[in-house]
Amino acid sequence: MSSAQFGDEQFWQSWATPLAQYASASGMTVSLYDSAGVRRLGPLLGTRLAELLASTNFWQAGGAGSAFESPLLAQAVATAGLAQGRLGDLVVFATPLVIELVVRGVLVFGWVLDRFGNSLESGRLAQLIGVDANQLWRTVRAEIPCSPARSSVLVGLLDTLVVAHAAHLVSMRHFEELAKMRDRFLARAAHELRTPLAAISLRADLLLARPLDPVVRTSVEKIADSVKTEAHLIEDLIDAGRTLTGQLRVNMGPVSVAEVVRDCVESIAPVAERKGVRLSSDHDAVAADPIMILGDGTRVRQALLNIITNAIKFTPADGAVTVRLRVTAEQVEVAVTDTGCGMEPGFLARAFEPFVRSDRDNDSGLGLGLTIARQIVDRHGGSLSAESAGADQGSTFRMRLPRAPAA
């Protein structure tokens, strides 16, 4: 359950599958009401007899079935226990839906024969619900009665199902609350770390602006480089916190994808050169302006830089990284292909999860770059996927973004 509240539509729908399975297996017809007496699910039909009843207005507002269920569910709420009633030869139960010691609703179930029916009772019920008496009698005669002993077992099974599913919902809610607390903590911690780091960076720059002993200058330069690395990690934490809490800002406007690709390749080229990795782009496609999307140019650059940086990071010296731009009538695709270490199927499935790092990752980083990239692409209505034939087979990341409509 993705909502923290019990009682919203998603909460009620979460019961649909387990209750439908119970109805099918037990022959019990089940309805789920909220604590105000409003039917949220059902009736989930369990027998041919129930199907015949449902073909009329039996369970509609003002119908005989709904009128019979109303006081029964009120009794279940008032007593916080099992209630039972009969309508002719049909037996019906109601039990409160209790989650965290609060009655969230009521399950009304049954509508089964607990003994062989008789034609007199069948005729009365037919007259009550407005169906052909002979048709109802034929259906009743074909039903196998659910004995009191079997009903008791089925009541117990439903109780077990309710307890198990309710516990699952509570666990999911607690998990989501913990996840939100974690995300808020990461965002707050990143902001708090950025302030003293900025002061260190400023003082390092001031020192480098003065004449220094070569040994001292080398040490200060290393401090400055370490500060930049740390600042990048903190920015990743901040962006990750924003994406996980839904607070990532995206300022939409016209963006030239070809220009973004050129800028990213040019800015990251020195990094690739220092490592000995050949970085190239599909010049013909990149030069094909205008290729416009509606998005945030800064964020799109950030996403693509994260992808290219990741490709260079996992590509050994003498390897290659290629950036290709492809265009269709509806979308733009930027594919980043490397000849690096590749990904096993198990890791490939988790490549975009936060804080996930490869066993071969001995470099710095938090495992957030691809997570942030996918969140940015998602916010632009696009998709980001990864492909790899396996270990040492290289990888390809495809960023697809919808083209802006023609002016």
Side-chain angles (χ1 to χ4, degrees):
M1 186 176 63
S2 62
S3 171
Q5 300 296 322
F6 295 121
D8 63 8
E9 188 60 32
Q10 193 170 4
F11 166 76
W12 300 115
Q13 286 303 317
S14 74
W15 292 90
T17 297
L19 291 181
Q21 291 173 342
Y22 173 81
S24 176
S26 67
M28 296 276 191
T29 293
V30 186
S31 292
L32 177 58
Y33 290 83
D34 62 23
S35 56
V38 177
R39 184 188 282 119
R40 295 290 187 165
L41 280 176
L44 304 173
L45 308 177
T47 63
R48 294 285 299 277
L49 176 57
E51 292 174 4
L52 177 60
L53 297 178
S55 67
T56 70
N57 69 342
F58 189 73
W59 278 296
Q60 297 176 9
S66 296
F68 183 81
E69 289 182 346
S70 182
L72 202 61
L73 66 92
Q75 181 184 346
V77 171
T79 62
L82 183 69
Q84 181 176 343
R86 300 186 66 88
L87 183 62
D89 287 334
L90 298 173
V91 62
V92 188
F93 305 92
T95 188
L97 177 62
V98 181
I99 302 179
E100 294 186 322
L101 304 180
V102 177
V103 176
R104 309 289 178 178
V106 178
L107 285 162
V108 179
F109 59 102
W111 295 108
V112 292
L113 301 168
D114 64 347
R115 60 196 179 197
F116 286 102
N118 64 72
S119 58
L120 181 59
E121 286 292 346
S122 178
R124 290 174 180 171
L125 184 60
Q127 185 176 10
L128 178 65
I129 64 178
V131 299
D132 179 73
N134 290 329
Q135 182 184 12
L136 180 61
W137 175 234
R138 286 194 301 269
T139 304
V140 166
R141 290 178 63 188
E143 293 290 323
I144 299 176
C146 182
S147 68
R150 176 175 169 77
S151 292
S152 179
V153 171
L154 294 177
V155 169
L157 287 175
L158 183 60
D159 285 341
T160 301
L161 182 151
V162 167
V163 170
H165 189 63
H168 168 72
L169 295 179
V170 171
S171 296
M172 289 298 297
R173 189 185 69 168
H174 290 168
F175 172 78
E176 290 167 6
E177 290 173 349
L178 288 173
K180 289 179 181 178
M181 290 176 61
R182 177 206 63 192
D183 298 340
R184 288 193 295 267
F185 168 78
L186 287 176
R188 181 63 181 271
H191 280 289
E192 293 297 328
L193 289 171
R194 189 163 54 174
T195 300
L197 202 63
I200 297 172
S201 178
L202 176 61
R203 283 161 176 77
D205 290 341
L206 289 174
L207 286 172
L208 290 173
R210 300 178 179 182
L212 296 172
D213 178 83
V215 175
V216 175
R217 175 171 292 278
T218 299
S219 297
V220 176
E221 287 175 347
K222 288 182 178 179
I223 291 173
D225 288 341
S226 296
V227 168
K228 291 177 182 178
T229 300
E230 194 70 19
H232 179 71
L233 295 177
I234 290 174
E235 289 301 322
D236 278 351
L237 274 175
I238 292 173
D239 280 336
R242 288 170 178 165
T243 59
L244 293 171
T245 56
Q247 296 176 343
L248 183 70
R249 294 181 180 178
V250 176
N251 300 314
M252 294 298 196
V255 178
S256 167
V257 180
E259 182 179 337
V260 169
V261 172
R262 280 195 298 268
D263 289 349
C264 289
V265 170
E266 290 174 2
S267 65
I268 204 70
V271 177
E273 185 177 355
R274 284 196 298 270
K275 190 175 180 182
V277 174
R278 299 185 302 278
L279 176 62
S280 62
S281 59
D282 190 328
H283 295 288
D284 292 339
V286 170
D289 275 326
I291 303 168
M292 307 299 292
I293 65 167
L294 187 63
D296 187 321
T298 300
R299 291 298 184 186
V300 175
R301 283 179 176 84
Q302 180 184 3
L304 185 54
L305 275 174
N306 284 358
I307 297 168
I308 299 174
T309 301
N310 186 77
I312 294 172
K313 178 179 179 180
F314 290 100
T315 299
D318 295 329
V321 173
T322 305
V323 183
R324 294 183 175 87
L325 179 60
R326 294 288 181 264
V327 184
T328 68
E330 298 181 350
Q331 68 177 11
V332 179
E333 178 187 283
V334 182
V336 179
T337 301
D338 64 66
T339 59
C341 62
M343 292 180 281
E344 298 285 358
F347 182 80
L348 184 62
R350 305 179 59 215
F352 297 102
E353 295 181 11
F355 307 110
V356 171
R357 297 178 59 174
S358 168
D359 293 337
R360 304 186 182 193
D361 187 356
N362 296 315
D363 202 352
S364 61
L366 297 172
L368 291 172
L370 293 179
T371 302
I372 295 169
R374 171 172 271 189
Q375 291 290 339
I376 291 172
V377 173
D378 286 348
R379 288 292 300 273
H380 284 76
S383 65
L384 178 58
S385 61
E387 305 164 12
S388 178
D392 301 318
Q393 300 297 312
S395 304
T396 297
F397 289 83
R398 300 185 188 279
M399 181 174 70
R400 297 181 178 92
L401 297 168
R403 294 190 67 174

